Amino acid sequence: MLFLVRMDVQIPHDLPAAEADEIKAREKAYSQDLQRQGKWQALYRVVGEYANYSLFDVESNDELHTLLSALPLFPYMKIHVTPLAKHPSSIR
């Protein structure tokens, strides 16, 4: 199942920099592992924002929820999920 996910990160300004850096390092490692597994298919930065659009290919809604809620930055994110279906005019 394919999902387009927009993640807007909102780290509190009063979070100590060292703690924020540690969370971001864990986030990077986790996201890269999911990319290597093929579950996180694409990751694009939104220009001028602390946000991204990502494409996930997972078995179910529940799997996606589990993966997203395990993101180290999850407590600081606003997430919008859009389920995708193959377009009949697509040649891919």
Side-chain angles (χ1 to χ4, degrees):
M1 297 177 72
L2 292 176
F3 296 91
L4 179 66
V5 179
R6 178 176 170 124
M7 299 178 224
D8 291 271
V9 182
Q10 302 163 339
I11 296 175
H13 297 293
D14 60 349
L15 188 68
E19 186 176 344
D21 290 344
E22 187 273 331
I23 293 168
K24 291 177 201 176
R26 287 190 293 120
E27 179 87 7
K28 182 177 183 177
Y30 179 65
S31 69
Q32 289 179 345
D33 181 53
L34 292 175
Q35 290 172 70
R36 281 189 279 281
Q37 292 178 44
K39 295 177 184 293
W40 198 323
Q41 296 268 310
L43 173 59
Y44 297 96
R45 175 178 287 166
V46 178
V47 175
E49 300 181 37
Y50 195 172
N52 73 75
Y53 279 103
S54 294
L55 183 64
F56 286 84
D57 188 1
V58 293
E59 293 297 317
S60 67
N61 295 333
D62 291 330
E63 181 182 11
L64 180 63
H65 180 78
T66 298
L67 295 177
L68 293 176
S69 62
L71 288 164
L73 283 170
F74 181 79
Y76 311 109
M77 287 183 176
K78 177 182 169 191
I79 297 175
H80 181 81
V81 176
T82 303
L84 300 175
K86 186 171 177 79
H87 194 285
S89 297
S90 175
I91 62 170
R92 295 190 178 17

